[in-house]
Amino acid sequence: MDTVRWRSASPRSDPEMIDVRRLRHDPAEARAALARRLDDGALAQFDRVLELDDRRRTVLTEVERMRADRNEASREFARRKQAGEDLTALQAELGKAAARLKDLEEDLREFEALQESHLLAIPNFLATDVPEGGVEANVELRRWGTPPRFDFTPKPHWELGEQLGLFDLPRGTKVAGSGFPLFTGMGARLVRGLANFMLDLHTREHGYTEVVPPLLVNEASARGTGQLPKFADDLYRLERDELYLLPTAEVPVTNIHAGEILDAEMLPVAMVAFTPCFRREAGSHGKDTRGLIRVHQFDKVELVRLCRPEESEAEHAAITAHAEAVLQRLEIPYRALALAAGDTGFASARTIDLEVWAAGVDGWLEASSASTFTDFQARRAGIRFRAAAGVKPEFVHTLNASGVAFPRTIIALLENGQQADGSVVLPEALAPYVGVERLVPPT
RNA sequence: GGCGCGGUGGCAGAGUGGUUGAAUGCACCGGUCUUGAAAACCGGCGGCCCUUCACGGGGCUCGUGAGUUCGAAUCUCACCCGCGCCGCCA
């Protein structure tokens, strides 16, 4: 199917962060772009980076000059040894030079490490069309569907779920802890049906290749997609093994081609994965935590695309449409929001959220986030392609979208589909996957 | 988990301390030849960084990192990965 180009155990020995040369080339532009995110910490990082870069390059130039001298001296040494000359004096002299070089190389390593740590904390450049401002400035792009009307008071999903025997949250809490839901009976069947429904849609109609990725990822992968180092608190970590539970399939799937140079014909790469996701949700306790709204473990079908830079605009529209198609087939009313600068994620250049209407909780819930990361993740993960034989490799652009996250989809299905008698009517497209057209209380 | 062997350019495969970024073959790109193609022949051909308007110059890179040495693909140590056998296990 495709050609795997790397064989080594560590394909990412030399990761790039944000393009330093871009920062260096037009600092004012870069600083202004960064300021749009309304993140003072990032700005502080930025100022440090430029200063460090300057000092780093000064030392680098010196180190390289000394190494050039050493290489030349070494060749001279070999020649004179061949000629049988006495080299003890020269050897001593070169030894001193080697020691000086070693000190300087240590300085260089320090600068490099320091600069890298700052660079890793600088977020992606935003697309120019991202609205200015914070979360209040998000722009509603479009709405699809009509929220249902009821002649009774619609119940929240946690009541429906319990009455219909779909999930048992207290027992999930007993087994693992709060936020680890237990689906039971037809609820479990609903989860399985949703997975098959979404995977079929994306593989058959949208051209995605299905993958089942590792659920644990290493540090390099988490750094590649931008979860680390900044968002370590959001990840479940297995300290003994230096591994992390995936917060989203974006992490393992995007990293599938890390460290590779892809053939241009392989692009765009389009992959879909159904996985559980694990999030610590540190600091969000007590907020939107009823029922399934915010949980530590949830299922999600994730779409990931790798493409040529000139295609990423169109790809972003396409991947968003693929996510929307899921909600449309499920007849779930939703709205698409263009996230404002201050609300856009660290690695993203532009994000469009899809929020589903949930009648029981009477509000909009984010069920999908479709982002283009331009070359940000590709740099960190080292994903490149060669446009033509003989030309330099360039970074791909990466994109992903939830297609879609399960809990809020289930919330919408239950709350919007509920009937006066307490049953829930499933959308036509989903019913065959679940095996019933209507969820009724267990007998 | 234990023992053993091994990781060199897109691939195959030399190289065990001194102009070796690395022979050779294949693949690939350009050219000659040809009506065209193939063959043959000639030339080119990894990645990254710094510097330069450019031409060019320099450095790093032989799984990764550290070390020994005037000098490391070559010696030492740690780690990662692969293969084989044994043990354990779904």
Side-chain angles (χ1 to χ4, degrees):
Chain A
M1 187 184 81
D2 55 39
T3 317
V4 172
R5 283 299 181 71
W6 64 272
R7 302 167 61 229
S8 87
S10 306
R12 284 163 289 199
S13 56
D14 200 9
E16 296 195 27
M17 319 308 143
I18 271 285
D19 190 355
V20 208
R21 277 164 296 196
R22 177 169 172 184
L23 306 186
R24 195 192 296 154
H25 179 253
D26 193 346
E29 182 258 10
R31 197 173 198 285
L34 204 52
R36 298 177 62 202
R37 285 188 176 268
L38 313 174
D39 178 350
D40 292 339
L43 279 179
Q45 299 285 349
F46 174 80
D47 292 337
R48 277 292 281 150
V49 159
L50 281 187
E51 187 188 321
L52 277 167
D53 183 56
D54 211 47
R55 294 167 67 184
R56 195 201 97 238
R57 279 183 302 147
T58 305
V59 176
L60 177 63
T61 304
E62 179 64 10
V63 163
E64 290 188 347
R65 212 208 75 228
M66 288 177 73
R67 290 207 276 228
D69 287 349
R70 181 201 59 195
N71 292 344
E72 175 54 38
S74 191
R75 287 188 278 266
E76 175 71 13
F77 192 98
R79 273 196 294 273
R80 289 171 63 175
K81 190 177 179 189
Q82 193 87 33
E85 293 182 38
D86 173 39
L87 295 166
T88 36
L90 180 58
Q91 190 165 326
E93 187 189 325
L94 293 178
K96 279 180 208 156
R100 282 199 302 275
L101 176 58
K102 198 173 175 181
D103 285 347
L104 210 55
E105 282 176 329
E106 208 161 298
D107 291 350
L108 180 62
R109 271 199 294 275
E110 265 170 50
F111 279 121
E112 283 173 343
L114 201 55
Q115 182 174 17
E116 179 181 301
S117 71
H118 284 82
L119 279 174
L120 281 169
I122 294 181
N124 195 5
F125 293 102
L126 293 166
T128 49
D129 60 358
V130 170
E132 302 299 329
V135 60
E136 74 292 340
N138 291 348
V139 173
E140 184 174 316
L141 299 173
R142 55 188 168 270
R143 265 182 208 219
W144 185 94
T146 314
R149 297 178 157 280
F150 299 92
D151 50 16
F152 56 92
T153 305
K155 296 173 183 168
H157 65 280
W158 53 87
E159 286 180 22
L160 291 164
E162 190 188 325
Q163 286 157 17
L164 295 169
L166 304 176
F167 42 81
D168 185 339
L169 301 184
R171 287 200 171 102
T173 300
K174 177 173 70 179
V175 172
S178 108
F180 290 90
L182 165 67
F183 289 89
T184 53
M186 284 310 291
R189 180 70 192 254
L190 177 63
V191 170
R192 176 154 60 94
L194 279 169
N196 287 332
F197 161 74
M198 291 183 205
L199 289 168
D200 282 350
L201 175 63
H202 295 308
T203 55
R204 291 176 184 165
E205 298 187 35
H206 298 152
Y208 288 80
T209 300
E210 190 171 343
V211 298
V212 179
L215 304 181
L216 297 176
V217 297
N218 58 30
E219 192 184 325
S221 292
R223 197 186 315 113
T225 35
Q227 280 73 23
L228 289 180
K230 241 196 132 179
F231 306 98
D233 287 349
D234 298 332
L235 301 176
Y236 284 101
R237 176 177 176 212
L238 283 75
E239 192 159 359
R240 264 175 77 98
D241 301 289
E242 295 181 78
L243 292 168
Y244 299 84
L245 272 78
L246 77 172
T248 154
E250 160 192 358
V251 180
V253 176
T254 304
N255 278 286
I256 285 173
H257 292 294
E260 298 182 25
I261 298 172
L262 305 172
D263 292 331
E265 307 84 69
M266 282 175 68
L267 301 176
V269 172
M271 293 176 286
V272 58
F274 164 65
T275 71
C277 302
F278 301 91
R279 299 184 181 179
R280 294 190 64 237
E281 300 292 350
S284 65
H285 288 291
K287 188 180 157 207
D288 294 335
T289 51
R290 279 305 292 274
L292 298 175
I293 295 177
R294 185 177 296 277
V295 285
H296 291 304
Q297 178 186 332
F298 63 94
D299 293 307
K300 179 159 62 67
V301 165
E302 182 76 1
L303 306 172
V304 171
R305 299 179 74 88
L306 313 178
C307 71
R308 307 168 76 117
E310 62 270 26
E311 289 167 345
S312 69
E313 288 295 308
E315 288 275 316
H316 192 205
I319 200 171
T320 306
H322 296 154
E324 288 182 63
V326 174
L327 301 177
Q328 291 173 10
R329 299 290 175 99
L330 294 177
E331 302 168 40
I332 297 173
Y334 68 88
R335 61 179 189 180
L337 299 183
L339 295 194
D343 200 26
T344 299
F346 178 74
S348 174
R350 184 201 300 109
T351 297
I352 295 172
D353 273 4
L354 302 180
E355 295 187 341
V356 296
W357 176 255
V361 298
D362 194 32
W364 298 96
L365 301 173
E366 180 194 330
S368 178
S369 217
S371 301
T372 173
F373 302 93
T374 56
D375 65 358
F376 186 84
Q377 293 181 330
R379 284 178 180 282
R380 293 165 76 110
I383 312 171
R384 292 175 294 172
F385 77 103
R386 202 185 299 277
V391 306
K392 275 176 76 78
E394 357 171 7
F395 291 107
V396 301
H397 279 193
T398 63
L399 303 95
N400 68 52
S402 342
V404 296
F406 283 28
R408 292 169 189 175
T409 301
I410 292 170
I411 292 170
L413 287 171
L414 298 183
E415 295 186 357
N416 299 344
Q418 62 183 297
Q419 308 295 307
D421 65 1
S423 68
V424 167
V425 174
L426 293 177
E428 214 175 289
L430 183 63
Y433 284 96
V434 182
V436 295
E437 291 174 358
R438 183 189 289 259
L439 299 170
V440 297
T443 49

